[in-house]
């Protein structure tokens, strides 16, 4: 069973930047597509970004495209989310997630394709 731990959240002013980290343990990290999701108060959890298990391709929600960058370091069993030009509407709890099957393809934006989730880290963007 994989365990995921997010870190790097905090309070930042609009226009600022944060980098979130997600450290995985419990099994081999390299063969799994990883994703970031977020949930604002009173809202459903939504897709933010995902990175293919090979690291070759990245996928983004339209709302963050051009501002956020997802990356991974398989040697460190860690996935990152670099967030630039932050807006108040980015305020949410951010969750790291791992795909349920190794070397899988497709469904990168679908929450049901991810089986393991971290505890979440709070990101608050002030006006």
């Amino acid at each position: 069973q994989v365990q995921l731990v997010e870190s790097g959240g905090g309070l930042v002013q609009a226009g600022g930047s944060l980098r979130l980290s997600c450290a995985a343990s419990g099994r081999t990290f390299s063969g799994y597509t990883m994703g970031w999701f977020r949930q604002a108060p009173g809202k459903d959890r939504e897709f933010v970004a995902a990175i293919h298990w090979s690291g070759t391709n990245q996928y983004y929600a339209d709302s963050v495209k051009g501002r956020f960058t997802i990356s991974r370091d398989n040697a460190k069993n860690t996935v990152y989310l670099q967030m630039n030009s932050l807006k108040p509407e980015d305020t949410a709890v951010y969750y790291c997630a791992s795909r349920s099957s190794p070397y899988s393809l497709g469904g990168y934006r679908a929450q049901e394709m991810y089986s393991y989730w971290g505890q979440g880290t709070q990101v608050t963007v002030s006006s």
Side-chain angles (χ1 to χ4, degrees):
Q1 184 174 351
V2 66
Q3 293 180 323
L4 305 175
V5 180
E6 303 98 332
S7 62
L11 175 65
V12 64
Q13 288 188 314
S17 299
L18 286 173
R19 189 181 77 161
L20 306 183
S21 298
C22 173
S25 63
R27 50 78 167 158
T28 301
F29 173 88
S30 61
Y32 292 81
T33 290
M34 304 292 292
W36 285 97
F37 296 79
R38 67 187 182 186
Q39 187 168 25
K43 303 291 185 179
D44 292 334
R45 188 164 59 190
E46 65 177 359
F47 170 79
V48 176
I51 185 166
H52 187 253
W53 53 262
S54 71
T56 302
N57 299 103
Q58 304 84 46
Y59 310 88
Y60 299 95
D62 289 341
S63 60
V64 306
K65 193 173 298 181
R67 299 188 297 121
F68 291 11
T69 302
I70 188 171
S71 61
R72 67 191 298 160
D73 187 337
N74 288 341
K76 296 181 178 179
N77 279 348
T78 302
V79 63
Y80 306 95
L81 185 68
Q82 178 67 46
M83 305 184 294
N84 298 326
S85 301
L86 283 162
K87 306 174 181 179
E89 49 263 48
D90 294 319
T91 295
V93 176
Y94 284 71
Y95 297 91
C96 175
S98 173
R99 292 286 287 259
S100 58
S101 300
Y103 307 105
S104 59
L105 299 173
Y108 303 110
R109 304 170 188 270
Q111 296 182 50
E112 62 267 25
M113 300 300 290
Y114 296 81
S115 293
Y116 301 99
W117 298 80
Q119 83 288 350
T121 185
Q122 177 70 47
V123 172
T124 302
V125 184
S126 62
S127 300

